[in-house]
Amino acid sequence: MKKSLMMIAGLFFSVLSVAGQGLSMDRVNADFQKKKEALPTGDLFSVFRQQLTQEERDALTFFYAYMSVGDITDYSGDFYLENVRSSLTTRKETTWGKTIPDDIFVHFVLPIRINNENLDRARMVFHDELMPRVKGLSMLDAVLEVNHWCHEKVNYQPADARTSAPLATVKTAYGRCGEESTFLVAALRSVGIPARQVYTPRWAHTDDNHAWVEAWVDGEWHFLGACEPEPVLDLGWFNAPASRGLLMHTKVFGYYQGPEEVMRTTANYTEINIIGNYAKFAPLTVTVVDEQGKTVEGACVQYKIYNYSEFFTVHTVVTKQDGQASLSAGLGDMMVLATKGDRFGIQKVSFGKERNVTIDLRHRVGEEFSFPVDLVPPPTKPNIPEVTPEQRAKNDIRFNQEDSIRNAYVASFPDASAIEKFAGETGYKTQDITNYIVGSRGNYAEIMNFLQNAAKKNYASRALQLLATLSEKDLRDTPEAILNDHLYNTDLSADATKVLAPRIAGEMLTAYRSFFQKEISKKDAKQFCADPNVLAEWCRKNLTLRDDLCCVGTFISPEGVWRSRTADRVSRDIFFVAVARSLGIPAWIDGVTGNVFYQKNGSDIQLDFESGVSGAAETGQLQLSYSAIPQLDDPEYLRHFTLSKYNGTGFTLLNYPDFAKWSALFKDASSLDEGYYMMVSGSRLADGGVLGQVSFFNIRKGEQTSGELLVRDNTEAVKVIGNFDSESKFVNAETGEETTVLKSAGRGLFVLAILGVGQEPTDHTLKDIAVKAKEFDACGRKMILLFPSRAAYEKYLTAPAPGLPEHIVWGIDTDSKIQKQLLEALNLEANTQLPIFIIGDTFNRIVFTSHGYTIGLGERLLKIIDSLSDSEVANK
């Protein structure tokens, strides 16, 4: 029986009911039947009428049993069959394919979806390019080689939360960590290597999150940074930050019963907790009780990490009869919110210090109160594998070669002269189209063809209006055909942002306009246009809501909703807006609140699907006073404070623009929907800890609520933490002359750093500094940024960070003398992750340091500088 667990030609899934493998074909078939019953319209399972082998039929059954509704409606059965055949063939042609157990293959090689990306033919395309490169390699070396190939194609660049498809990422030549890791997982799976995307949903010691990859090699999981090739596995710039993580998790396609802790099982995937692969951790159990001390069944318990001034939910559990909800996490602090009905409780919990915590539902929704909270992240305890100098040198050579290959491809994108020539040929003004063509990167041919054809049809100005509604990522991955569908099937007089715009929320763009104009009868279209609430009523009567069958972060396209008559709530809202716009009705989803609106007779009408009531939004006003603390005159949203609205089981964040100023949002009274709100504010300490403040208040219809935005003062003393010789020498990178820190900085405080070129922590830090460029220039302090070598500086110049302060001195740390001095002065390990920043003074003292991955460093440097005068430092 055990022998049958391995791949045997012609049997594949037929043997997977064997106990102990965590995969039962009986369960797969049962779940498949449930999915078919849930989606009876649209002929969505027609692929099964084809002539299929048993292997193919069973693999497709597994796919369809656990695919989200959107993946079933928006991609053809032939697409999935092609992927299945490629996977099965690859398993047979690779040496490691024969060693991979069925359950590992099914969950970590066969699946196509990795994140919320559009699906594409990456598996087949990548297979053909990669197989010759991995032929003859061991499984371990093949993983490293695939990552080198990925680095040839893609480099890091932050972007919005919508994940581009792997082929689109290659076309663009860069992506955020979620896109890089999606790309690497797709590449590894294309050559039959099990892989999974790993997320820390939020860091505890700094803002932001991160994603990377784990690959299964000869029976064990190992991690690597996507598109960031290292000489060995289990090594990345994030070793140290990961050791401070509170939670690492991954979503496994299908029903999975591996050795890892299962956090959640859904109709589509199993979410598993893998914090133990990266950091010390401990379990903690929350028991929810009512006012009488009795355990509460059915309470919603949310574990939350403070990040971007929000309590971000990383795990949700509904209590059973014992009232308990458990989680294992890194050794630091979280907040826990427990709710049921109109009662809730909220408090801090400390993993490693507490094993059992009781939360009573002492508060009632509508109760106004406030409290402070201090949060401590886990300590740093990285485990870094050994790398020999020879391995490092060889890897560096390849790394630079791969940069050259990618840069040569990027250099093929249209430059300023090509854009100017195109403008002259098509009649556009160069300044009107430059940003769109530059922003489209490898997708430039689609955007230029769209503009050229629009000009020929006298739609040039309208085409520019349409492009103005798109995100940068839309420019990079949207085909001309989709843009044409919206441009030429919309009345020229229609509002650009509320009718013409293809984008509605975070969905993939599709050519839905001509589709609905064809599918919807003239009679229905006339009724919908006369009263858009009739369209809303049609949605309520004809669409089945199945949030449980949809993956978090993915959407069903508007056309898919029409075919299946099934949707989750967000996809339903997008569907309503898409149909409305297709018929010329102004409609939109509010970017801050997520509320759905349409326009009728010039009035904005808010649509409430749940109640069936439509009308003017019921709002009140909020005005927040703020008393400035040192170094913080005007707090910023998502950096110093956030607002969230109660939704029945928790609080939903209001999505104001990133880092919008308090003075622009709430210094004067601002309109908010009536409801119950939570405001969180915080100051991040140098060690990553947080001084937080939590407030609950009400917004009532037609009334103004006045409150205080309290950001607790960071009063931690700035102390001398080391010594640094300000006469230390380096080479000025721009002049080539040898100079000293003292000569370059002048008397007093200065910022000095050793940078890591092409590394994500350095990229993040330089962007944070650029955001505060004006403040750095105003403070007058020099910033000396050093590179380990002239080659590193020249590499940086190929893609320099834009918008940096003017007072920067660029230098070369010859023979790493200054870096070695800093490591010794600060008692840091030789392999400490760059960048290393210090604030020092010309009395040879260090008063602040930061190294590795830190978000918001620019603001933190300014705070320290502003809080110190030369005399104050001298007296410490």
Side-chain angles (χ1 to χ4, degrees):
M1 181 65 80
K2 291 183 179 179
K3 182 179 180 181
S4 67
L5 294 177
M6 304 304 292
M7 175 64 189
I8 298 176
L11 294 180
F12 195 54
F13 278 87
S14 61
V15 300
L16 296 185
S17 59
V18 177
Q21 286 298 295
L23 183 66
S24 167
M25 198 58 199
D26 289 341
R27 177 171 184 131
V28 171
N29 281 322
D31 290 340
F32 175 66
Q33 290 303 317
K34 291 178 184 177
K35 189 66 65 70
K36 288 183 69 176
E37 292 167 6
L39 301 171
T41 62
D43 195 20
L44 301 174
F45 301 86
S46 60
V47 66
F48 289 92
R49 294 198 294 269
Q50 294 189 36
Q51 194 75 20
L52 302 171
T53 68
Q54 190 61 49
E55 289 178 301
E56 293 166 353
R57 183 172 297 278
D58 288 340
L60 283 171
T61 299
F62 177 74
F63 264 177
Y64 278 80
Y66 301 112
M67 278 195 288
S68 66
V69 174
D71 285 352
I72 293 176
T73 62
D74 295 337
Y75 303 93
S76 70
D78 288 338
F79 168 76
Y80 292 115
L81 180 56
E82 182 184 26
N83 275 271
V84 163
R85 286 172 173 166
S86 179
S87 298
L88 297 177
T89 299
T90 302
R91 191 180 191 187
K92 295 172 183 176
E93 68 181 337
T94 56
T95 56
W96 48 78
K98 304 174 182 65
T99 70
I100 300 172
D102 284 332
D103 61 330
I104 295 295
F105 177 81
V106 167
H107 289 295
F108 301 107
V109 177
L110 189 63
I112 306 168
R113 175 162 301 288
I114 299 157
N115 198 299
N116 64 350
E117 76 278 13
N118 296 351
L119 303 184
D120 61 21
R121 296 189 67 256
R123 186 181 300 256
M124 287 63 70
V125 175
F126 293 172
H127 169 275
D128 291 347
E129 188 164 342
L130 279 169
M131 283 302 294
R133 292 181 64 149
V134 300
K135 186 177 181 180
L137 297 181
S138 68
M139 199 173 189
L140 186 151
D141 288 337
V143 171
L144 296 174
E145 182 62 30
V146 170
N147 206 21
H148 276 291
W149 176 83
C150 287
H151 182 238
E152 289 179 11
K153 307 294 183 184
V154 175
N155 199 24
Y156 174 77
Q157 179 70 24
D160 63 49
R162 182 174 69 83
T163 305
S164 63
L167 289 175
T169 300
V170 171
K171 204 174 187 181
T172 297
Y174 65 52
R176 60 177 174 80
C177 60
E179 289 166 328
E180 289 182 304
S181 51
T182 296
F183 171 43
L184 176 55
V185 171
L188 289 169
R189 289 179 179 178
S190 77
V191 293
I193 296 174
R196 60 195 187 191
Q197 184 184 53
V198 178
Y199 256 106
T200 179
R202 288 292 189 273
W203 295 116
H205 68 286
T206 189
D207 291 331
D208 214 355
N209 61 359
H210 192 51
W212 57 91
V213 173
E214 285 187 348
W216 188 91
V217 179
D218 300 328
E220 295 183 354
W221 288 101
H222 297 269
F223 72 84
L224 62 163
C227 308
E228 299 166 341
E230 293 284 359
V232 297
L233 295 178
D234 300 320
L235 179 63
W237 63 260
F238 52 88
N239 281 68
S243 73
R244 305 192 73 183
L246 278 168
L247 182 66
M248 278 61 168
H249 65 167
T250 187
K251 294 181 175 69
V252 184
F253 186 85
Y255 179 73
Y256 174 71
Q257 289 183 300
E260 302 90 348
E261 176 187 355
V262 173
M263 298 173 60
R264 178 169 54 156
T265 300
T266 75
N268 308 122
Y269 62 85
T270 306
E271 186 175 358
I272 59 174
N273 185 355
I274 51 177
I275 181 65
N277 292 357
Y278 303 93
K280 291 186 176 180
F281 67 97
L284 184 144
T285 298
V286 167
T287 302
V288 181
V289 299
D290 60 19
E291 292 177 289
Q292 289 74 43
K294 296 180 179 179
T295 58
V296 177
E297 182 180 2
C300 179
V301 177
Q302 298 176 342
Y303 289 84
K304 297 172 174 285
I305 296 176
Y306 178 93
N307 193 281
Y308 281 125
S309 293
E310 173 200 9
F311 292 143
F312 182 86
T313 301
V314 296
H315 184 47
T316 301
V317 183
V318 176
T319 59
K320 296 183 179 179
Q321 190 173 8
D322 60 6
Q324 294 187 343
S326 299
L327 179 68
S328 295
L331 307 183
D333 295 343
M334 285 193 197
M335 294 296 290
V336 174
L337 172 73
T339 64
K340 185 171 185 182
D342 65 347
R343 309 291 301 189
F344 72 96
I346 182 170
Q347 69 183 65
K348 179 180 78 173
V349 299
S350 299
F351 289 84
K353 294 181 180 180
E354 302 170 296
R355 295 295 296 266
N356 296 281
V357 175
T358 299
I359 296 182
D360 61 87
L361 306 180
R362 68 179 67 181
H363 301 294
R364 188 179 298 277
V365 173
E367 179 183 347
E368 299 189 340
F369 64 101
S370 180
F371 63 90
V373 61
D374 296 351
L375 299 164
V376 178
T380 307
K381 292 185 178 179
N383 180 20
I384 300 177
E386 181 180 353
V387 176
T388 67
E390 293 76 17
Q391 287 176 313
R392 176 56 61 195
K394 182 178 179 181
N395 194 79
D396 287 347
I397 291 172
R398 289 201 65 180
F399 200 95
N400 291 330
Q401 291 173 339
E402 291 150 11
D403 280 340
S404 298
I405 293 171
R406 186 180 61 259
N407 290 337
Y409 164 67
V410 172
S412 70
F413 299 166
D415 58 14
S417 61
I419 296 172
E420 185 175 2
K421 179 182 178 182
F422 175 79
E425 294 171 346
T426 55
Y428 290 97
K429 294 180 181 179
T430 303
Q431 63 267 28
D432 289 343
I433 63 174
T434 294
N435 288 341
Y436 299 129
I437 296 176
V438 171
S440 65
R441 292 182 65 84
N443 196 46
Y444 65 86
E446 299 288 335
I447 300 301
M448 293 173 77
N449 287 340
F450 170 70
L451 288 168
Q452 184 177 42
N453 291 327
K456 291 178 180 178
K457 298 177 181 180
N458 296 319
Y459 273 74
S461 60
R462 193 62 164 167
L464 292 175
Q465 288 182 327
L466 189 152
L467 291 180
T469 70
L470 302 181
S471 69
E472 288 187 8
K473 190 167 292 179
D474 293 334
L475 295 173
R476 299 197 295 264
D477 67 5
T478 304
E480 178 194 4
I482 290 177
L483 300 178
N484 288 341
D485 178 81
H486 294 278
L487 179 64
Y488 301 121
N489 291 293
T490 305
D491 189 279
L492 285 170
S493 63
D495 183 273
T497 59
K498 297 175 181 177
V499 180
L500 173 65
R503 174 150 304 289
I504 299 166
E507 78 284 3
M508 65 177 184
L509 295 186
T510 60
Y512 61 74
R513 207 168 298 251
S514 59
F515 176 85
F516 287 122
Q517 290 174 358
K518 178 181 178 181
E519 290 290 328
I520 296 174
S521 69
K522 292 182 179 180
K523 178 183 176 181
D524 286 343
K526 185 176 181 180
Q527 289 181 325
F528 296 161
C529 290
D531 184 1
N533 199 45
V534 176
L535 171 59
E537 186 62 27
W538 185 96
C539 293
R540 280 189 286 269
K541 289 182 177 179
N542 293 279
L543 300 183
T544 301
L545 291 182
R546 291 299 302 267
D547 289 341
D548 59 313
L549 297 183
C550 300
C551 292
V552 176
T554 64
F555 305 94
I556 310 171
S557 73
E559 303 98 310
V561 172
W562 177 268
R563 295 187 191 101
S564 66
R565 297 295 199 267
T566 303
D568 57 276
R569 282 168 172 77
V570 177
S571 297
R572 174 203 58 195
D573 294 351
I574 293 171
F575 171 82
F576 171 86
V577 173
V579 173
R581 289 184 180 179
S582 299
L583 300 178
I585 303 167
W588 65 97
I589 297 177
D590 183 78
V592 174
T593 64
N595 293 332
V596 181
F597 287 86
Y598 64 84
Q599 210 166 64
K600 182 179 180 182
N601 299 326
S603 297
D604 295 347
I605 307 298
Q606 182 175 332
L607 176 62
D608 187 339
F609 278 108
E610 312 309 323
S611 67
V613 177
S614 299
E618 296 183 337
T619 63
Q621 291 191 315
L622 175 65
Q623 186 271 327
L624 295 174
S625 62
Y626 172 70
S627 299
I629 62 175
Q631 297 84 50
L632 185 58
D633 295 329
D634 199 351
E636 297 175 357
Y637 199 76
L638 291 177
R639 183 168 280 132
H640 306 112
F641 76 103
T642 57
L643 294 177
S644 300
K645 183 175 183 287
Y646 188 67
N647 60 20
T649 58
F651 290 84
T652 301
L653 180 72
L654 300 187
N655 292 306
Y656 288 104
D658 292 358
F659 314 127
K661 301 285 189 180
W662 154 78
S663 58
L665 295 178
F666 298 111
K667 183 178 181 180
D668 299 320
S670 180
S671 178
L672 280 182
D673 289 349
E674 68 172 342
Y676 187 51
Y677 288 83
M678 174 174 65
M679 177 167 61
V680 178
S681 63
S683 294
R684 181 77 73 175
L685 305 180
D687 65 357
V690 175
L691 301 178
Q693 185 74 23
V694 189
S695 301
F696 296 86
F697 60 89
N698 295 284
I699 297 294
R700 296 181 175 86
K701 181 181 178 181
E703 298 181 12
Q704 178 174 313
T705 297
S706 297
E708 179 185 12
L709 171 56
L710 175 61
V711 181
R712 294 169 59 195
D713 193 3
N714 180 356
T715 58
E716 61 180 349
V718 179
K719 302 176 182 178
V720 175
I721 59 175
N723 296 304
F724 173 78
D725 182 5
S726 60
E727 296 283 359
S728 296
K729 297 179 180 180
F730 66 93
V731 174
N732 185 298
E734 295 175 313
T735 67
E737 297 177 357
E738 189 173 68
T739 185
T740 67
V741 172
L742 175 60
K743 184 177 179 180
S744 299
R747 290 290 176 181
L749 294 167
F750 59 84
V751 176
L752 181 142
I754 310 292
L755 304 182
V757 182
Q759 297 175 356
E760 190 168 336
T762 294
D763 293 343
H764 269 289
T765 299
L766 293 180
K767 288 179 175 65
D768 283 342
I769 290 171
V771 168
K772 298 291 182 179
K774 291 182 179 179
E775 290 94 327
F776 276 109
D777 286 331
C779 82
R781 304 294 181 179
K782 288 293 180 68
M783 182 180 296
I784 302 171
L785 302 183
L786 303 179
F787 295 90
S789 65
R790 169 65 63 175
Y793 173 65
E794 292 176 351
K795 179 179 178 180
Y796 167 79
L797 290 179
T798 62
L804 290 172
E806 295 179 356
H807 290 162
I808 288 178
V809 177
W810 300 98
I812 311 298
D813 182 20
T814 308
D815 299 325
S816 300
K817 292 178 182 178
I818 291 180
Q819 182 175 350
K820 292 174 183 176
Q821 185 184 161
L822 291 178
L823 293 174
E824 182 177 354
L826 299 169
N827 195 29
L828 298 175
E829 299 291 337
N831 56 8
T832 295
Q833 175 67 50
L834 299 179
I836 299 173
F837 272 79
I838 68 163
I839 297 177
D841 71 354
T842 48
F843 296 98
N844 295 343
R845 288 166 292 193
I846 301 172
V847 297
F848 173 83
T849 185
S850 172
H851 55 86
Y853 184 82
T854 303
I855 296 295
L857 183 60
E859 179 184 29
R860 197 173 302 175
L861 291 171
L862 284 169
K863 282 185 177 181
I864 300 297
I865 292 171
D866 290 348
S867 68
L868 295 174
S869 68
D870 291 347
S871 60
E872 286 175 323
V873 176
N875 291 329
K876 293 232 180 245

